[in-house]
Structures are given as C-alpha cells and as structure tokens.
Amino acid sequence: MWMLVFWVLPLFALVYIAWHVWTILPLAAIWKTLVIALGVSCFLMLFLSVARKFDSLPLSLAQVSYEIGTSSIFVLMYLVIIFLVLDLGRLLHLVPKTLLYHNGYSALGIFIFVFVIFLYGNLHYYNKVRVPLELGTSKHLSKTYRVVMLSDMHIGYHNPRKELARWVDMINAEQPDFILIAGDIIDGSMRPLLEENMAEEFHRLKAPVYACLGNHEFYAGHPEAKQFLKDAGIRLLVDEATVIDSSIVVIGRDDRTNMRRKPVKELVSDAATLTTSNPIFTILLDHQPYNLDRSEAAGVDFQLSGHTHRGQVWPISWITDHIYECSWGSHQRGNTQYYVSSGIGIWGGKFRIGTQSEYVVATITSK
C-alpha cells in the first residue's frame, strides 16, 4: 500500500505541476513543452536511480544523475505546496486569476523562491551539528566513557569518499573511547563504495566501531553489505552483543526488515551471560525506533536509533513526528533513555529544511 502511494502520488503531482507550468509561463507552446519535458526527465531519473540503472554509467555521471533524480522528489513536493496555496487563495478570492495565467513575474518569483529554499537546504545539510548528550547511570563503570554516536551515513553516490573523510576527521577530533553507528551506513548501490575504496576511510578511525544493520544494508544486498562492513573494520552486531571493559554491553539488533530477528528481551537475556558483572550498563543499537516499550520492559539502559531522518525536510517532519513515539532527539521511558538521531547523512537530495544533520557526543558516567 505504502509503495503504491510512493509511486502513484508523485505521478499525479507531476501532472498537476505540468498543468500549472503550462498556464503560468508566457511562452510559445514549444518552449513550454521543453520546460515540462526537462522537469519530467529529472523526475524519471528518480525511478532510474532506485532501480540502480546508473551503475553502468561512469562514476561522475552516475553521481550527477542520482543527485538530480533524488532531488526532484523534494522540488516536486514544494511546487505542489506552492500551487495548492495559490489555488486555494484563488478560490477564496485572495489571489487574482491573472497571477497564475501567462504571468512571467509570477513564474520568476516562484522559481527564485524555490531556488533560495533549496540553496539554504543544501548549505544547511553540510553543517553537521554536534549534539552533546549526558548519560548517567547508577551502575558501576570502569571509567567515564566518551562515545561518538551516529546513524544514517548513507554513503554512496551522493555521499562519496571525500565527504566520508570529512566525517572521519570530525569523529577522530572528539577522541572517543568507542563509536556506535545505528544502521544505514550504506545508501543503496555497493558500486561507489567499492570503486572509491571507502572501506579505507573507516580504517582511519582511532577508536573501535560497533554497528547494527539498517534497512538500506538489505537494499544494497545483504551479503555484500556485511562483507563491506567487515572489510571496513566495523564490528557488526547482528542479534548479538559484545562487552566493553566489563562495564558496558553493546547489543546490535538486526533490522526489522528481517521479520525473524530476535526480540529485545531475548537479546538482553543472552547478553547477560557474557559477563559476570552485575548489573552492567546495556546499550541497544536498533535502527528503526518502533516499539520503544519493549526496550524498557527488557531493562535496556540506553537505546540508539536512527532511520527517521526526521523527514529530512519540512513538512515531512510533521509526518514522522506523528508516526513515531520519538522521531528525533532524547526520550525517556521509565529507567530507559533513548536517542533517535536524524542522521549525519541523508537519502536522496542533499537538503535539510527544518531538520538537521548531526552526530552525538555522549558522556557515560556513574552517578
């Protein structure tokens, strides 16, 4: 059902926008046709990118094609919003009819408005926000830990090795004891990761890295994605746990794409057998922040999730805020603390409007 909505609604939106573009442009029919054809071509590149039809192109061309195709869906959404507002204004006699018919000033005004919005969104995307987080626990720790936490890197065509290298430098500058990644390290196609040898960049990290799978690792090809993460020196936890300094146990849960993954309660029970220390501070990495009550019931101390991106751009953030108990930021249920990251990277077009790209620097201390 959701996939049908994802594919069909944009097509209706495309027809709606094409009609408005035709009526508002004061140009000859041939020029209007060319403008609409260009817009439709950009949008169709979205379908080609999802189907990975760009993998056979030269890498630089594939990157540009991916950027154009995946950016078009956001531009399409904002044009729909603009024209809906103008149409509503016209129905309420607040907007004159002449504003939407053969009006070059209106067309130019809309173009400038959309351009400025997305220019801001692109610049804001590259600003990675450092989020400090204090995690106190009554459980005994060997020391105070400094941990860098992130999710949704989506490295690939639109987040290439150069961008990954910048993130690695930012993480190393924090001098963490260890690093946690809550899934979606890979965007989709494995081709750019292998061709640019991105695994090499992860080896520059100066602290151990622990991660769980996200849904995009499944889209990329489950075995290939797991092999890449292994080659990158990342300790991938798939329904398993590891102990750090006999003080902290980190559990990585398989993504909910796998309907047969273990329940949280069983994972916590299994993790308890790994150490004689009791109690021990428990961290759960679970990519998609559903059923937060189950982590609370299982006695998890802290859960790190991602996946939502908080919608990436407004007003999609309103939708994610409605769907999830917590779609972004810190949250608490009983004695369990949560952080849902909006991600350091992004899917599709590089725009952040009303949301932020971020990484978390957590300090874990005994109270």
Side-chain angles (χ1 to χ4, degrees):
M1 175 62 182
W2 284 110
M3 289 304 294
L4 182 64
V5 170
F6 179 79
W7 293 114
V8 173
L9 277 184
L11 292 176
F12 280 110
L14 198 62
V15 172
Y16 175 69
I17 291 170
W19 176 74
H20 264 296
V21 169
W22 184 273
T23 57
I24 201 172
L25 288 178
L27 301 173
I30 183 63
W31 294 109
K32 292 182 180 183
T33 302
L34 287 174
V35 170
I36 292 171
L38 178 62
V40 171
S41 298
C42 290
F43 179 72
L44 290 178
M45 292 171 76
L46 169 66
F47 293 84
L48 295 175
S49 68
V50 172
R52 297 187 197 167
K53 298 299 183 182
F54 299 141
D55 284 354
S56 59
L57 298 176
L59 184 60
S60 58
L61 182 57
Q63 289 171 333
V64 171
S65 301
Y66 181 95
E67 293 279 7
I68 293 173
T70 55
S71 296
S72 67
I73 189 69
F74 298 108
V75 176
L76 180 78
M77 179 183 70
Y78 269 72
L79 285 174
V80 167
I81 292 172
I82 290 168
F83 285 125
L84 281 175
V85 169
L86 290 173
D87 281 340
L88 180 61
R90 189 167 58 85
L91 289 173
L92 296 175
H93 304 291
L94 299 174
V95 174
K97 183 178 180 180
T98 54
L99 199 69
L100 295 174
Y101 288 89
H102 300 91
N103 193 320
Y105 293 109
S106 296
L108 181 61
I110 291 171
F111 173 80
I112 292 174
F113 178 76
V114 171
F115 179 81
V116 169
I117 285 287
F118 282 96
L119 177 61
Y120 157 77
N122 181 254
L123 295 174
H124 187 45
Y125 167 72
Y126 284 104
N127 176 36
K128 306 304 176 185
V129 178
R130 180 188 186 275
V131 179
L133 182 65
E134 298 291 331
L135 296 175
T137 176
S138 58
K139 297 176 179 178
H140 174 73
L141 300 176
S142 299
K143 63 176 185 177
T144 295
Y145 290 90
R146 188 180 184 86
V147 187
V148 171
M149 304 179 179
L150 55 153
S151 74
D152 300 276
M153 301 177 79
H154 288 275
I155 56 175
Y157 284 126
H158 67 320
N159 284 314
R161 179 167 177 169
K162 182 180 179 181
E163 183 67 5
L164 175 60
R166 187 169 77 96
W167 301 349
V168 169
D169 291 339
M170 291 165 58
I171 295 169
N172 282 337
E174 298 292 342
Q175 299 181 322
D177 293 294
F178 58 93
I179 301 159
L180 301 176
I181 308 178
D184 277 6
I185 296 172
I186 300 165
D187 184 58
S189 173
M190 293 297 301
R191 182 267 184 109
L193 281 71
L194 300 176
E195 196 164 320
E196 289 197 287
N197 195 15
M198 292 194 200
E200 219 171 48
E201 286 299 328
F202 285 100
H203 285 286
R204 291 201 302 112
L205 290 168
K206 298 176 181 178
V209 184
Y210 305 95
C212 68
L213 291 172
N215 53 304
H216 275 255
E217 273 75 46
F218 283 84
Y219 302 158
H222 198 217
E224 295 86 352
K226 290 175 73 174
Q227 184 60 50
F228 170 82
L229 297 175
K230 181 180 179 181
D231 294 342
I234 295 172
R235 176 67 191 278
L236 181 63
L237 301 171
V238 184
D239 278 354
E240 58 182 317
T242 189
V243 179
I244 300 173
D245 294 344
S246 301
S247 293
I248 296 174
V249 61
V250 178
I251 303 170
R253 195 178 187 199
D254 201 357
D255 185 67
R256 79 195 297 258
T257 305
N258 176 12
M259 303 299 291
R260 294 177 294 177
R261 65 177 179 167
K262 289 184 179 181
V264 175
K265 188 174 182 179
E266 184 178 340
L267 290 174
V268 173
S269 179
D270 292 345
T273 65
L274 298 179
T275 176
T276 56
S277 300
N278 191 26
I280 190 169
F281 189 77
T282 305
I283 296 175
L284 174 67
L285 303 179
D286 192 356
H287 178 62
Q288 302 190 44
Y290 289 98
N291 307 120
L292 301 186
D293 57 308
R294 296 177 187 177
S295 297
E296 177 194 5
V300 170
D301 293 296
F302 175 73
Q303 176 176 324
L304 175 67
S305 296
H307 182 65
T308 70
H309 300 204
R310 211 194 172 200
Q312 297 187 190
V313 300
W314 177 91
I316 303 177
S317 52
W318 285 356
I319 298 174
T320 57
D321 287 349
H322 177 74
I323 291 174
Y324 299 95
E325 178 180 336
C326 174
S327 71
W328 171 65
S330 295
H331 186 61
Q332 181 126 6
R333 289 183 62 98
N335 294 321
T336 303
Q337 300 174 80
Y338 305 81
Y339 194 88
V340 179
S341 175
S342 54
I344 192 170
I346 213 164
W347 173 88
K350 294 177 182 175
F351 308 113
R352 285 283 190 180
I353 302 171
T355 66
Q356 66 186 31
S357 290
E358 64 180 28
Y359 62 101
V360 177
V361 181
T363 303
I364 308 176
T365 57
S366 291
K367 294 180 181 177

